[in-house]
Amino acid sequence: MKIVVSVGGSVLARDLSPEKFKGYASALIEISKKNSVFIVTGGGRAARDYIQAARGLGADEATCDFIGIELTRLNARLLIAALGGVAYHEPPLNYKEARSAGLTGKIVVMGGVTPGQTTDAVSAVLAEYTGADLLINATSIDGVYTSDPKKNKDARKFDCMTPRQLIEIVMKTEMVAGANSPTDLLAAKIIERSNIRTIVLNGEEPQNIVDAVSGKYCGTVIEK
Ligand code: UTP
């Protein structure tokens, strides 16, 4: 199978612990034995801190996004360092470079691409463009809920849902400032238009990714 994994910066690089990166590297090497694997890393807290500093300096939003992208690429570089020789040596800067890098048979790790979106959208477009069989979104919650479970204790988790339901949930969540959306709207729309089989799962434990690939663990499965 061809698999794209989106790893939230908040789970991978919360405190820049080498152990966390190594844990991720082992899980990704495990799934790469039988699959071709592309990873998209998020920026996490460091990206938010840098963006806040840039805003404080009067930078426009696109400039803030470019700064965020740099941070996602730094996390990609750390993961490449943890993976060693099995990873493609550089984070590709765009989808075409990523697809070419994938032809080497190495694990490809990249960050953001363009302002106005997040790495969720990058992973969805990459999955579309590389013809991936599965998109995994490793995040800080264990699936998609009817509303933000960190804010609403009555929120219910979906075991499975359609891309259309995902779009409706994301639109509802994104309306609330500061809410934790399971994915961004652009990603949800791309998942819908290409019917990309997607699993949203808890990325705090990288073994969950290995289990999801072998069908043992599932957060929320999104498919038509
Ligand atoms: P993330 O994808 O990490 O954002 O990108 P996020 O969803 O807020 O964070 P986590 O990692 O899941 O907690 C960080 C920032 O980088 C910019 C955006 O400003 C984004 O908020 N970015 C990222 C882009 O502008 N374009 C991209 O393609 C990716």
Side-chain angles (χ1 to χ4, degrees):
M1 276 204 296
K2 194 174 284 179
I3 302 168
V4 175
V5 185
S6 172
V7 187
S10 40
V11 293
L12 180 67
R14 181 175 299 130
D15 48 10
L16 293 183
S17 140
E19 292 315 315
K20 192 78 185 190
F21 279 88
K22 283 186 200 158
Y24 255 92
S26 319
L28 298 171
I29 289 169
E30 183 62 34
I31 61 169
S32 73
K33 288 178 185 158
K34 290 192 184 152
N35 304 284
S36 73
V37 177
F38 294 79
I39 318 293
V40 182
T41 51
R45 167 123 176 256
R48 274 191 285 277
D49 287 350
Y50 268 81
I51 287 170
Q52 207 186 345
R55 276 203 194 107
L57 294 167
D60 61 84
E61 286 301 306
T63 298
C64 291
D65 281 347
F66 278 121
I67 289 170
I69 291 169
E70 294 298 334
L71 271 297
T72 63
R73 288 179 179 159
L74 281 179
N75 286 335
R77 286 190 186 281
L78 288 177
L79 186 55
I80 289 169
L83 286 162
V86 296
Y88 188 74
H89 61 286
E90 275 286 307
L93 302 180
N94 58 52
Y95 304 107
K96 289 186 178 177
E97 275 184 33
R99 189 155 130 176
S100 301
L103 297 176
T104 62
K106 300 218 169 195
I107 299 176
V108 178
V109 189
M110 70 187 291
V113 166
T114 191
Q117 58 179 39
T118 73
T119 47
D120 291 338
V122 176
S123 63
V125 173
L126 186 62
E128 190 172 58
Y129 188 56
T130 57
D133 307 282
L134 177 64
L135 170 62
I136 294 178
N137 192 344
T139 176
S140 57
I141 45 170
D142 61 350
V144 182
Y145 283 74
T146 46
S147 61
D148 185 349
K150 288 178 182 160
K151 301 217 163 119
N152 179 3
K153 64 175 173 32
D154 297 326
R156 213 169 24 80
K157 187 181 146 198
F158 288 92
D159 290 329
C160 57
M161 69 193 311
T162 63
R164 181 53 25 200
Q165 283 176 305
L166 177 67
I167 290 174
E168 279 158 16
I169 295 281
V170 171
M171 282 175 69
K172 220 169 55 181
T173 320
E174 281 196 341
M175 300 286 236
V176 187
N180 259 324
S181 183
T183 178
D184 71 19
L185 183 58
L186 181 55
K189 287 191 162 174
I190 290 162
I191 288 167
E192 184 189 43
R193 79 172 180 182
S194 291
N195 194 21
I196 303 165
R197 184 164 199 271
T198 303
I199 300 178
V200 178
L201 53 72
N202 188 340
E204 296 293 345
E205 179 44 70
Q207 179 64 29
N208 288 343
I209 297 173
V210 181
D211 291 348
V213 170
S214 60
K216 272 190 260 167
Y217 174 93
C218 278
T220 297
V221 179
I222 301 151
E223 63 189 342
K224 269 186 194 151

